[in-house]
Amino acid sequence: LMFEGSAGTGKKTSAIALACMLYDLHLLQKNTVTCLGSSQLKADDKRIAEEIMQEARGGVLYIDEVHLLSGYRAVTAVKSIIDDNKTLVIFTGTKSEMDEFKESNKELVRGIDTLKFDSWQTTKCILF
């Protein structure tokens, strides 16, 4: 899945809720959300990111600021997790970040659905 939206729009909260639901339905082996963030993606040692990806197997791997995911090894590691069908991978970022990622990783993202998280204005929150 791809979650597209600005910071504070509920992407991570939705990932946690989704992990709980899928675990309760016995569609995931673990009721966990493992986050792979910008600090791990920027690290010179890609081994750190790969270890986090392995830790996520069977649950949800939440990749924040996905446009920072680059390099053959990192993309190959994510693809192997997607292909094993045991882990739900959620890519997140703003619209421009997601567009950049989709453009540079067409093969990886083919067939992955995008959920858009809108930013709420104060007036909309009050009316809600």
Side-chain angles (χ1 to χ4, degrees), residues 1 3 12-34 58-61 88 90:
L1 278 174
F3 286 3
K12 191 177 289 182
T13 301
S14 297
I16 293 167
L18 186 58
C20 291
M21 287 187 286
L22 294 175
Y23 177 78
D24 288 346
L25 292 169
H26 305 285
L27 297 172
L28 288 177
Q29 297 170 350
K30 299 189 310 188
N31 184 12
T32 60
V33 176
T34 304
V60 173
L61 174 61
L88 174 61
I90 300 176

Side-chain angles (χ1 to χ4, degrees), residues 9-128:
T9 55
K11 298 182 299 290
K12 191 177 289 182
T13 301
S14 297
I16 293 167
L18 186 58
C20 291
M21 287 187 286
L22 294 175
Y23 177 78
D24 288 346
L25 292 169
H26 305 285
L27 297 172
L28 288 177
Q29 297 170 350
K30 299 189 310 188
N31 184 12
T32 60
V33 176
T34 304
C35 296
L36 181 58
S38 59
S39 61
Q40 293 94 0
L41 293 171
K42 289 184 206 174
D44 290 334
D45 186 359
K46 292 296 182 193
R47 185 178 47 87
I48 295 169
E50 290 173 355
E51 287 173 5
I52 292 170
M53 290 181 209
Q54 291 303 317
E55 180 185 315
R57 285 200 186 267
V60 173
L61 174 61
Y62 182 90
I63 303 177
D64 198 15
E65 298 185 61
V66 73
H67 65 290
L68 297 173
L69 181 68
S70 62
Y72 178 78
R73 282 181 58 194
V75 171
T76 301
V78 171
K79 182 157 179 27
S80 72
I81 289 176
I82 292 171
D83 289 345
D84 79 5
N85 291 319
K86 295 179 181 172
T87 305
L88 174 61
V89 178
I90 300 176
F91 301 105
T92 71
T94 64
K95 179 173 178 15
S96 61
E97 292 168 350
M98 297 302 278
D99 289 345
E100 177 185 332
F101 179 71
K102 290 176 191 176
E103 184 61 33
S104 61
N105 295 284
K106 290 178 183 175
E107 190 67 31
L108 180 66
V109 300
R110 183 175 292 137
I112 296 179
D113 293 321
T114 301
L115 297 175
K116 297 183 181 186
F117 289 73
D118 292 330
S119 296
W120 283 45
Q121 303 299 324
T122 305
T123 53
K124 284 185 181 180
C125 290
I126 292 170
L127 295 173
F128 185 71

